[in-house]
């Protein structure tokens, strides 16, 4: 029997083992499970080499997960086709209550053959590093907010009131340094909360400084710089947006881009009735969040602020004209 032209290899990747299964592209071919292998590079390469006699074209498939994307880059470097599937978009049967590594590998190979697998975009190494830096900044912002909430709750419980109006400004920080609790134990807790807020604030400042320094050497920096010509899109928003979306040329139309971001309306229509709801929120959370925050700038009438003017000075005349038209249009639509 001659070997099949294409062979789909499903790999259920875990920390210590990988369950492997394969299926030929031929109609009616049975999905076969090989069993678990190791997670080292040589283990995957050795198993794939043994399967080259079964087909002329091998396609490896695994789900995106916490183990990273290095396996995809390694297989591509070895001239093998590799697909990374989206776990949240995997078709599942309603009554299927049995989940094992073997079943998952069989399912991956089966979905790849049928064309029902949704493949995700794998960024380059430099793009992934910039994405990690932007998400570390988001984590620092979240930790800083939590620390401030704990400190404000502690102050409220002990009826310690500030005479100022603004929070976390220079005057408020000076007031915090002068607060003295009636007993030593609450004073220790208060000082720890204040120190935690200071540490998270300093960590956020360090990450933002590193972000501004590394983005200038990024291959997508021209795109980041051009996006800053829009109102409500400073450097941090532009970097987060580009790092989350990656190569924008993957989206052929604006509708495809909005679908990727989860900004298209949900719909539940039947017959002659058409019902549309809120946005699907099925896309990238990080990119959608910064876009929503940037859209808040369109609440007020269109104008060129001092910060926007400084960003526009480095842009070409074409980008400046597009920015002006977009600002007027968005403020009217808001």
């Amino acid at each position: 029997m001659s070997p099949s032209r294409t062979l789909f290899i499903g790999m259920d990747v875990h920390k210590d083992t990988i369950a492997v299964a394969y299926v030929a592209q031929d109609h009616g071919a049975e999905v076969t499970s090989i069993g678990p292998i190791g997670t080292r590079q040589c283990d995957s390469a050795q198993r794939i080499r043994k399967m080259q006699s079964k087909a002329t074209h091998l396609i490896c498939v695994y789900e995106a997960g916490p183990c990273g994307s290095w396996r995809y880059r390694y297989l591509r470097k070895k001239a093998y086709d590799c697909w990374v599937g989206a776990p949240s978009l995997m078709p599942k049967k309603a009554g299927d209550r049995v989940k094992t590594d073997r079943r998952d590998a069989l399912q991956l190979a089966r979905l790849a053959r049928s064309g029902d697998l949704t493949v995700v975009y794998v960024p380059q190494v430099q793009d992934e590093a910039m994405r990690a830096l932007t998400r570390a900044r988001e984590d620092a912002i979240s930790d800083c907010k939590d620390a401030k909430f704990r400190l404000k709750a502690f102050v409220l419980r002990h009826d310690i009131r500030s005479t100022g109006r603004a929070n976390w400004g220079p005057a408020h920080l000076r007031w915090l340094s002068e607060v003295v609790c009636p007993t030593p134990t609450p004073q220790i807790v208060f000082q720890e909360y204040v120190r935690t807020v200071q540490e998270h604030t300093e960590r956020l400042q360090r990450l933002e400084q590193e972000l501004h320094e590394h983005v200038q050497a990024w291959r997508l920096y021209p795109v980041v710089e051009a996006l800053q010509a829009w109102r409500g899109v400073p450097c941090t928003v532009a970097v987060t947006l580009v790092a989350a979306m990656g190569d924008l040329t993957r989206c052929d139309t604006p509708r495809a881009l909005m679908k990727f971001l989860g900004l298209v309306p949900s719909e539940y229509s039947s017959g002659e009735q058409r019902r549309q709801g809120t946005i699907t929120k099925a896309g990238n959370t990080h990119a959608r969040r910064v876009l929503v925050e940037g859209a808040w700038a369109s609440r007020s009438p269109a104008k060129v602020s001092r910060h926007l003017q400084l960003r526009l000075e480095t842009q070409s005349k074409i980008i400046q004209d597009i920015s002006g038209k977009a600002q007027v249009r968005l403020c009217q639509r808001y």
Side-chain angles (χ1 to χ4, degrees):
M1 181 178 180
S2 60
S4 175
R5 298 183 60 183
T6 305
L7 198 70
F8 297 95
I9 305 174
M11 307 170 66
D12 189 50
V13 181
H14 292 275
K15 179 181 178 181
D16 299 322
T17 60
I18 301 176
V20 183
Y22 69 90
V23 62
Q25 192 180 18
D26 302 333
H27 179 71
E30 185 179 357
V31 188
T32 305
S33 175
I34 298 177
I37 63 173
T39 57
R40 299 176 300 175
Q41 295 182 357
C42 59
D43 297 331
S44 301
Q46 182 180 6
R47 172 53 61 183
I48 294 175
R49 282 197 302 268
K50 291 181 179 180
M51 303 182 68
Q52 287 181 336
S53 60
K54 300 180 181 294
T56 57
H57 183 206
L58 302 179
I59 300 179
C60 303
V61 184
Y62 71 95
E63 287 182 328
C67 295
S69 304
W70 65 265
R71 193 176 311 279
Y72 168 87
R73 301 188 183 97
Y74 172 75
L75 293 175
R76 297 285 296 188
K77 186 178 180 181
K78 293 292 184 180
Y80 298 121
D81 282 345
C82 185
W83 297 349
V84 182
S88 59
L89 301 179
M90 293 289 179
K92 296 180 180 179
K93 296 181 180 179
D96 191 3
R97 298 300 181 89
V98 180
K99 181 186 182 304
T100 62
D101 297 346
R102 177 179 174 274
R103 278 173 168 254
D104 291 342
L106 295 172
Q107 181 73 354
L108 282 171
R110 192 179 294 111
L111 291 175
R113 182 182 62 174
S114 63
D116 296 329
L117 186 70
T118 303
V119 181
V120 301
Y121 167 74
V122 179
Q124 298 183 13
V125 177
Q126 189 183 15
D127 300 348
E128 191 173 18
M130 189 60 63
R131 178 186 296 181
L133 188 57
T134 58
R135 293 186 179 180
R137 174 183 170 272
E138 293 180 0
D139 294 338
I141 293 176
S142 178
D143 294 341
C144 189
K145 286 183 179 180
D146 293 340
K148 289 179 178 179
F149 287 152
R150 296 188 190 101
L151 177 58
K152 292 178 69 174
F154 177 85
V155 170
L156 181 63
R157 288 197 304 269
H158 291 78
D159 196 23
I160 303 175
R161 301 179 181 272
S162 173
T163 56
R165 295 183 179 180
N167 288 335
W168 313 115
H172 184 72
L173 296 178
R174 286 195 299 269
W175 172 79
L176 287 175
S177 63
E178 298 172 356
V179 171
V180 178
C181 297
T183 56
T185 303
Q187 184 68 27
I188 295 174
V189 177
F190 175 78
Q191 293 296 336
E192 289 296 329
Y193 280 147
V194 172
R195 188 178 297 109
T196 303
V197 172
Q198 294 175 351
E199 291 175 354
H200 288 308
T201 303
E202 294 174 357
R203 178 163 67 99
L204 177 60
Q205 293 174 355
R206 290 194 304 269
L207 288 172
E208 288 183 346
Q209 182 179 358
E210 294 291 339
L211 185 66
H212 285 83
E213 292 178 358
H214 285 79
V215 71
Q216 298 180 6
W218 191 22
R219 69 179 185 91
L220 297 177
Y221 179 67
V223 182
V224 174
E225 196 174 19
L227 287 177
Q228 296 182 53
W230 272 254
R231 185 184 181 186
V233 185
C235 181
T236 53
V237 174
V239 175
T240 304
L241 184 62
V242 177
M245 295 190 299
D247 189 4
L248 297 180
T249 58
R250 297 182 293 116
C251 302
D252 299 330
T253 60
R255 184 179 296 274
L257 179 61
M258 293 299 101
K259 181 180 179 181
F260 171 77
L261 296 172
L263 294 175
V264 295
S266 58
E267 184 173 354
Y268 186 81
S269 301
S270 178
E272 297 180 355
Q273 290 185 345
R274 186 187 182 192
R275 299 176 182 176
Q276 287 186 319
T278 58
I279 58 176
T280 60
K281 296 184 180 181
N284 190 285
T285 305
H286 306 275
R288 185 172 60 251
R289 180 185 60 81
V290 296
L291 276 178
V292 171
E293 291 181 359
W296 291 343
S298 300
R299 292 178 296 178
S300 56
K303 68 174 183 178
V304 179
S305 63
R306 182 175 63 89
H307 298 285
L308 181 58
Q309 181 62 36
L310 293 176
R311 300 200 301 265
L312 286 173
E313 290 177 355
T314 60
Q315 304 298 328
S316 62
K317 183 65 168 56
I318 299 177
I319 296 180
Q320 292 180 10
D321 294 340
I322 296 176
S323 174
K325 294 179 182 178
Q327 184 178 163
V328 174
R329 183 179 69 253
L330 293 175
C331 290
Q332 291 176 352
R333 291 183 63 87
Y334 194 90

